[in-house]
Amino acid sequence: MKKVHNFSAGPCILPSSVIEGSADAIREFDGMGLSLIEISHRSKNFERVMDEARQLVKDILNLEDRYEVLFLQGGATLGFYMVPLNILKEGGKAAYANTGVWASGAIKEAKLVGNIDVITDSSASNHNHIPEMPSVDGYDYFHYTSNNTIFGTQYQYTPKVNVPLVCDMSSDIFSKEFNANDFSLIYAGAQKNMGPAGATLYIIDKEMLGKTGRKLPTYLDLASHISKDSMANTPPVFSVYASMLMLRWIKENGGLKGMEIHNRAKQELFYAELDRNSMFHGHSVPESRSWMNPTFRLNNEEHAAAFDAMWKEAGISGIAGHRSVGGYRASMYNALPLESVQVLVDVMKEFERKNG
Ligand SMILES: *Cc1c(COP(=O)(O)O)cnc(C)c1O
């Protein structure tokens, strides 16, 4: 296969050990004479996979005993609705930060459930920065999006609030050190930084549940999933398995600390070039830059065809920007090697030399 430098925003690049391990399990799983995707999810062999995946999340994040870990379906998109359904009290109120497309998606769905106040908002500047955090008190919870995948901004800190903290971490979970025990609920679609599409991770402080006064349908009830060890119905078997392999890879490569060292080096290399190069400018203000999804534009859009031809020739894939920002987005998830960032940086330098 030709070497491709995969900067896709999601589904994401995965380590070759995860791709190969997944392919092996598709052919034959665990010496059973059957494929992973044709065994019973109630078999002991698969129960071990689900248990290991949940345990790896607890280990990597150093979670206290009050947390449960689930691998469900529906993506973060269902989470936008399911989260308030489970923790926003009847007649209660939640606070949200609007920092981008996914954050406003979460707000829209939460409004179907109850009262929502948007307490901080960066939309007036096309979400080019993380807006200031006001003090937050008297709400059922505060919800934010730690990394804005489309606009390329990221919280550089965990917000301090006097209410339970809830976060959509779809595009930066496991990418650097943070204290997961500061949160009451974290959710994330697998396909940005943890595995293939299909599974959605929920990390829940059990104390949060059972307090809304609302009756929930079985699938949307987080407590019912907890009581069935994340096997209330048929789980997304393949995605859970591949995510389990990815979580093993994260642990073997130094856990959150290891990921932080690796991801810090990549973003430093990229942003140093962006700041030096006279042909480009970034979308995000420097203080809010995302380590995962740098967004940038040409100063002169007439050069687009020439630049596009150069990065394609270098084997780079997936850097076309999202339609709401334009320009380029070079996503640098956990599995992207530093070498790929170097290839992009070299192309940017060469482009400047020829066209600057
Ligand atoms: C991609 C993304 C989503 C949507 O996730 P799905 O799993 O496709 O529903 C939500 N939030 C963030 C931050 C994302 O990056």
Side-chain angles (χ1 to χ4, degrees), residues 139-290:
Y139 288 97
D140 286 357
Y141 63 89
F142 168 64
H143 177 287
Y144 77 109
T145 312
S146 51
N147 181 67
N148 297 286
T149 325
I150 290 173
F151 292 96
T153 61
Q154 184 175 27
Y155 280 79
Q156 314 290 322
Y157 55 88
T158 299
K160 288 250 176 303
V161 290
N162 295 321
V163 301
L165 194 55
V166 174
C167 188
D168 171 6
M169 273 191 206
S170 291
S171 52
D172 66 351
I173 191 159
F174 304 122
S175 68
K176 56 171 147 176
E177 289 197 277
F178 73 105
N179 185 1
N181 297 302
D182 288 341
F183 292 81
S184 294
L185 196 155
I186 294 169
Y187 63 108
Q191 73 277 11
K192 302 280 168 44
N193 229 353
M194 190 177 67
T200 313
L201 174 66
Y202 286 81
I203 298 164
I204 311 140
D205 177 348
K206 285 171 285 189
E207 294 295 302
M208 292 293 289
L209 300 177
K211 294 180 175 162
T212 62
R214 194 177 284 120
K215 277 212 163 63
L216 300 180
T218 309
Y219 195 86
L220 301 183
D221 185 354
L222 291 171
S224 98
H225 288 291
I226 289 171
S227 73
K228 298 282 164 52
D229 290 327
S230 204
M231 298 271 243
N233 73 329
T234 316
V237 169
F238 177 75
S239 179
V240 172
Y241 185 75
S243 297
M244 186 271 285
L245 294 180
M246 180 64 183
L247 291 161
R248 278 187 190 164
W249 182 89
I250 290 171
K251 198 173 174 190
E252 283 159 13
N253 285 281
L256 294 189
K257 191 178 216 86
M259 293 302 110
E260 172 158 338
I261 292 167
H262 171 59
N263 290 324
R264 180 185 299 280
K266 289 186 293 182
Q267 62 87 24
E268 277 175 2
L269 177 61
F270 176 80
Y271 284 119
E273 177 59 19
L274 181 63
D275 288 339
R276 189 207 61 76
N277 196 305
S278 60
M279 309 297 281
F280 302 94
H281 63 276
H283 176 72
S284 171
V285 302
E287 308 77 59
S288 301
R289 283 171 169 173
S290 168

